[in-house]
Amino acid sequence: MFCEKAMELVRELHRTPEGHLPAFNEDGIRQVLEEMKALYEQNQSDVNDAKSGGRGDLIPTIKFRHCSLLRNRRCTVAYLYDRLLRIRALRWEYGSVLPSALRFHMSTEEMEWFNQYKKSLATYMRSLGGAEGLDITQDMKPPKSLYIEVRCLKDYGEFEVDDGTSILLKKNSQHFLPRWKCEQLIRQGVLEHVLS
Amino acid sequence: MTEELDLAGQDSDAGSEEVVLTPAELIERLEQEENLKRARKEDLKISIHRMEMERIRYVLSSYLRCRLTKIEKFFPHVLEKEKTRPEGEPSSLSPEEFAFAKEYMAHIETYLKNVALKHMPPNLQKVDLQRAVPKPDLDSYVFLRVKERQENILVEPEADEQKDYVIDLEEGSQHLIRYRTIAPLVASGAVQLI
């Protein structure tokens, strides 16, 4: 039956939980595009026969193929758009630099879109308020306290605090740091909020 | 100061948003207060100031994030609304938001075209994003608190069997009502979404 492959693409994403990005199904897209080409060419020839050859009986088939073409297009665009939305969410979750595991699942064009999105977002954030703008990808939760106790989960290296001093973030070391500076590192899994 | 920002209607599921010029001013105030860092660190007043700043920063960020999310979610409709905006009516978007929205749309269109659409049959290469992307549901229900008494608000029927009727909104009362009915009141500030 027509549109099977297109449906498979949609189902693949439907099954994938939010926040996850499966590998880009380049093969699937290619097959859908090929099917569309074949359907279109069959229709073109049938339309000619229907017009000049008086083959009015071909019209239902032509209409059917056209519906399949529309369905294929809809599924393809839905697949691609949904992936873009997931990739957009990655910027907000992980920051500007994506974990390499995720990057491997993105196509070159998706990566390019991600970079363009990042840039648009950065331009917008820089325009907020006075001098350097406001990073609205921080402060995702209401602040409970100024400083929090954090434990370092992996070796991260030097980390600069407000008054200019540097702290060495070594695995298993614990620190008492300003909450807002730690937010992104906590999300990336480098630090862990210790609740006493 | 945190209350001023709370009022900015973070709740409604509809697309209509207001440009609130206050964020820019508030952010500047935020940065002016950063200069207080230069005072003695042990000062308790500084800590309290900082906490207030953090709260302001959170509320501000949250509000701006909410706006951006809505712009991204409904981008073709937001841009269409801006395009067809009558002369003299203020924009719902700040100039920077408008620029962001245009770029967002352009990037998505280019991406879809290059990856899929240009490889499709000629008569199928154009996708009307106005129809493809869902519109904000202006008939969804929202909670509101009445700030200024309103009389004779016409509530249109949802189902055919119902008739339209008229209600009065008392000051201070709270309601659950379809957004479309009270949309202009949100814009004028007569009601506050909660």
Side-chain angles (χ1 to χ4, degrees):
Chain A
M1 197 64 276
F2 300 136
C3 309
E4 288 275 357
K5 197 67 199 173
M7 283 299 296
E8 227 179 85
L9 288 176
V10 172
R11 245 182 257 125
E12 178 191 307
L13 278 186
H14 189 63
R15 278 195 288 253
T16 313
E18 203 181 304
H20 287 90
L21 186 73
F24 185 75
N25 195 338
E26 186 163 349
D27 217 42
I29 298 276
R30 191 182 46 80
Q31 285 180 39
V32 174
L33 290 173
E34 275 171 10
E35 185 181 274
M36 287 180 78
K37 182 160 180 272
L39 284 169
Y40 181 69
E41 282 167 1
Q42 284 164 5
N43 257 8
Q44 287 225 287
S45 114
D46 275 7
V47 162
N48 278 335
D49 288 345
K51 277 201 203 148
S52 47
R55 295 282 313 274
D57 59 310
L58 291 174
I59 293 185
T61 322
I62 293 170
K63 284 192 181 166
F64 177 70
R65 286 200 202 98
H66 186 67
C67 284
S68 303
L69 281 166
L70 288 174
R71 187 163 180 75
N72 271 334
R73 181 178 72 173
R74 185 175 177 182
C75 291
T76 310
V77 174
Y79 174 78
L80 295 172
Y81 184 67
D82 189 78
R83 282 184 65 94
L84 286 187
L85 294 181
R86 287 173 196 251
I87 292 170
R88 175 255 180 217
L90 294 178
R91 167 64 186 87
W92 288 85
E93 181 60 32
Y94 292 100
S96 287
V97 181
L98 295 181
S100 50
L102 286 166
R103 265 183 284 146
F104 285 145
H105 284 183
M106 288 164 60
S107 71
T108 319
E109 292 84 3
E110 284 180 331
M111 198 62 213
E112 202 181 307
W113 183 87
F114 178 73
N115 288 332
Q116 288 173 336
Y117 177 74
K118 258 189 349 191
K119 194 147 160 262
S120 276
L121 185 61
T123 308
Y124 171 72
M125 294 198 294
R126 210 169 22 241
S127 76
L128 299 169
E132 335 135 342
L134 181 68
D135 185 355
I136 56 175
T137 65
Q138 303 297 316
D139 308 292
M140 299 292 262
K141 292 210 180 79
K144 287 279 161 68
S145 62
L146 268 187
Y147 282 76
I148 52 170
E149 185 82 25
V150 288
R151 181 183 301 121
C152 204
L153 297 175
K154 11 183 142 146
D155 277 329
Y156 182 76
E158 298 263 313
F159 188 56
E160 202 183 302
V161 200
D162 288 336
D163 50 6
T165 53
S166 279
I167 295 199
L168 181 62
L169 294 178
K170 231 174 131 50
K171 186 166 172 182
N172 286 327
S173 63
Q174 266 184 243
H175 307 275
F176 193 57
L177 296 172
R179 190 195 49 83
W180 65 277
K181 272 201 102 66
C182 304
E183 243 196 56
Q184 186 147 68
L185 288 176
I186 292 177
R187 280 220 296 279
Q188 288 174 357
V190 175
L191 293 178
E192 177 192 47
H193 187 181
V194 175
L195 305 147
S196 43
Chain B
M1 196 198 282
T2 15
E3 286 85 63
E4 287 164 42
L5 288 173
D6 276 332
L7 302 191
Q10 294 203 23
D11 178 57
S12 119
D13 198 20
S16 113
E17 302 155 315
E18 293 180 307
V19 175
V20 175
L21 290 173
T22 19
E25 296 161 12
L26 285 166
I27 296 175
E28 277 174 42
R29 167 100 179 254
L30 192 86
E31 281 157 350
Q32 279 164 18
E33 299 196 9
E34 290 259 355
N35 293 334
L36 282 168
K37 266 202 286 199
R38 315 212 185 285
R40 286 189 340 260
K41 274 195 232 164
E42 309 88 55
D43 201 342
L44 178 65
K45 214 163 46 164
I46 301 298
S47 283
I48 297 179
H49 243 291
R50 272 205 159 171
M51 290 219 73
E52 182 63 9
M53 252 168 51
E54 302 243 320
R55 270 188 220 117
I56 293 171
R57 189 169 23 219
Y58 168 73
V59 176
L60 202 52
S61 292
S62 177
Y63 168 70
L64 293 169
R65 269 197 295 271
C66 184
R67 286 179 69 94
L68 222 58
T69 309
K70 283 187 191 176
I71 290 172
E72 289 175 357
K73 189 169 175 187
F74 301 117
F75 68 95
H77 311 292
V78 168
L79 286 168
E80 182 66 20
K81 181 168 162 211
E82 181 62 19
K83 204 167 84 176
T84 58
R85 180 167 56 98
E87 191 84 37
E89 190 183 296
S91 171
S92 298
L93 305 171
S94 73
E96 296 79 18
E97 285 174 336
F98 183 47
F100 177 83
K102 279 191 293 191
E103 285 172 19
Y104 189 73
M105 174 138 171
H107 294 154
I108 291 199
E109 281 183 326
T110 311
Y111 172 78
L112 290 176
K113 187 173 94 172
N114 289 336
V115 175
L117 296 176
K118 77 176 182 202
H119 303 291
M120 290 187 183
N123 62 332
L124 289 167
Q125 288 186 7
K126 200 94 199 9
V127 168
D128 183 5
L129 288 175
Q130 288 284 331
R131 293 185 56 206
V133 175
K135 277 190 142 130
D137 181 11
L138 298 179
D139 289 314
S140 55
Y141 280 78
V142 292
F143 282 98
L144 60 87
R145 185 182 295 125
V146 181
K147 306 200 74 182
E148 296 164 15
R149 185 187 151 80
Q150 300 294 317
E151 294 186 358
N152 298 330
I153 302 293
L154 182 68
V155 180
E156 279 174 42
E158 267 181 282
D160 288 330
E161 311 90 52
Q162 297 168 355
K163 288 206 327 226
D164 41 356
Y165 56 94
V166 159
I167 57 170
D168 290 337
L169 298 176
E170 297 296 329
E171 181 178 329
S173 63
Q174 290 176 251
H175 301 267
L176 176 63
I177 201 169
R178 250 179 300 140
Y179 180 78
R180 197 190 291 273
T181 315
I182 48 95
L185 300 177
V186 177
S188 69
V191 307
Q192 175 198 336
L193 298 177
I194 47 181

